[in-house]
Amino acid sequence: MVHLSIEGMDGIGKSTTCKLLAKRLGFFFVEKPLHLLFDKTEESFEEYIRIRDQVNRNPNRDFTALFYGLGSLYLYEMYKDQNIITDRHLASNYAWSGTETNEDVYELLLKKLGKPRLTVILTANEQTVIERLKSRDPNDSDIQKAVKTKTVSKRMIFFCKKFALPHVVIDTSDLTPDEVVDKILNIWETI
């Protein structure tokens, strides 16, 4: 299995990038792997989102880190014989759930899973993120999170550096999805 992880805030362009990359590389695109345990069809995310929202309300960051970590474990088991691109992985998990007291959770996950061949952290300025979110839904609840764009990106970068994950950061503010994919493919070819 070869794994390429695309990380970033909502509105950055992760899903679009993942789909374009998967098509160009011939990889399988995986989004929210735990939903396959909870939902009746691959197209439905309803039960997963209900459970995810319950998990996210829990203030215990060990619990949320392990929940999303289980998704990664399930992902690696399900797709162990395929090359995959994921919309989020461990860096996003750490950005939202990582603390000084639960780094052992991430050490365990990395020990069990290994590291993606490449983690791509997509960034953009806050205004760009807000505009993108509003263009997909003017009432998108993720618009409120846009103020955390810089902080969350820094935490993802910190995670990759701390745990020595091969990674690259790409600012998508002034790039089209195809330009983002071209940049990733240029880097991918050198690995």
Side-chain angles (χ1 to χ4, degrees):
M1 174 209 285
V2 175
H3 178 197
L4 191 143
S5 173
I6 307 297
E7 305 275 7
M9 291 284 292
D10 288 306
I12 289 288
K14 292 181 312 301
S15 296
T16 302
T17 299
C18 287
K19 290 172 187 172
L20 288 170
L21 264 175
K23 185 175 181 180
R24 292 195 41 198
L25 287 172
F27 281 27
F28 192 78
F29 168 52
V30 184
E31 181 181 28
K32 300 172 183 66
L34 280 180
H35 100 89
L36 298 170
L37 288 174
F38 305 135
D39 293 300
K40 294 178 183 173
T41 68
E42 283 193 36
E43 295 77 32
S44 170
F45 290 92
E46 190 175 309
E47 280 303 304
Y48 168 78
I49 290 170
R50 185 186 66 74
I51 294 166
R52 178 207 66 193
D53 289 350
Q54 287 282 110
V55 168
N56 288 343
R57 282 192 281 276
N58 188 318
N60 183 326
R61 295 297 89 187
D62 290 353
F63 181 74
T64 56
L66 287 166
F67 173 79
Y68 290 108
L70 286 173
S72 296
L73 288 167
Y74 185 63
L75 166 82
Y76 273 48
E77 180 58 32
M78 279 193 65
Y79 299 99
K80 63 184 169 193
D81 298 323
Q82 294 178 305
N83 295 329
I84 58 172
I85 293 175
T86 56
D87 180 338
R88 294 197 170 137
H89 189 52
L90 295 176
S92 288
N93 181 338
Y94 182 85
W96 293 102
S97 298
T99 67
E100 290 179 10
T101 61
N102 72 2
E103 287 185 355
D104 57 333
V105 170
Y106 297 96
E107 289 167 1
L108 175 64
L109 288 168
L110 286 165
K111 181 179 177 182
K112 294 289 182 186
L113 300 172
K115 300 172 185 174
R117 178 80 54 90
L118 179 65
T119 296
V120 178
I121 301 168
L122 301 180
T123 64
N125 62 56
E126 182 181 326
Q127 190 57 41
T128 298
V129 172
I130 291 169
E131 288 169 12
R132 289 177 182 170
L133 289 168
K134 284 183 176 179
S135 72
R136 79 179 186 198
D137 178 359
N139 300 311
D140 194 317
S141 62
D142 289 325
I143 293 170
Q144 300 166 12
K145 294 181 192 174
V147 297
K148 297 179 181 182
T149 298
K150 192 179 275 188
T151 302
V152 171
S153 295
K154 284 182 180 178
R155 287 183 52 80
M156 289 178 194
I157 294 165
F158 171 82
F159 174 81
C160 289
K161 287 180 178 178
K162 178 170 183 65
F163 292 103
L165 272 70
H167 69 284
V168 62
V169 179
I170 298 174
D171 185 339
T172 68
S173 298
D174 298 317
L175 300 175
T176 67
D178 284 318
E179 290 171 328
V180 172
V181 169
D182 287 341
K183 279 185 170 272
I184 295 169
L185 289 173
N186 288 336
I187 294 161
W188 186 252
E189 290 172 4
T190 65
I191 296 177

